[in-house]
Amino acid sequence: MTIRALVLIAGVLAAGPAPLARASAADWRFVKVYRSLGACQGAGQSLVGRRQAREYRCENDYDKAGVPILDLYVR
């Protein structure tokens, strides 16, 4: 294998995951804000159990007053 072929393969591999990551990030839909992790996880598990979502995630965030909250996202 030549140096040129190795550079071409490395470029393709480096560029491959980036478009996929951008496309999958757009699939997530915001649902609601929760004050506790248990409430956020319970709501997400309930949506998955009722087959209204395939998966969920709870992300840390802060409200306008600086109080920690959790954002529920599903897809």
Side-chain angles (χ1 to χ4, degrees):
M1 206 176 258
T2 65
I3 300 275
R4 183 177 180 179
L6 290 174
V7 169
L8 179 63
I9 291 171
V12 168
L13 290 176
L20 293 176
R22 272 186 252 121
S24 66
D27 293 341
W28 291 98
R29 179 177 54 89
F30 174 77
V31 176
K32 191 175 174 182
V33 173
Y34 292 91
R35 296 277 176 201
S36 70
L37 180 59
C40 186
Q41 288 178 334
Q45 289 170 355
S46 176
L47 290 170
V48 171
R50 290 181 296 186
R51 298 178 188 247
Q52 293 178 339
R54 287 177 289 144
E55 58 184 323
Y56 72 93
R57 70 177 189 210
C58 296
E59 288 191 354
N60 292 324
D61 199 2
Y62 295 93
D63 64 6
K64 291 180 182 179
V67 177
I69 55 174
L70 292 158
D71 295 335
L72 174 62
Y73 292 92
V74 295
R75 65 171 166 183

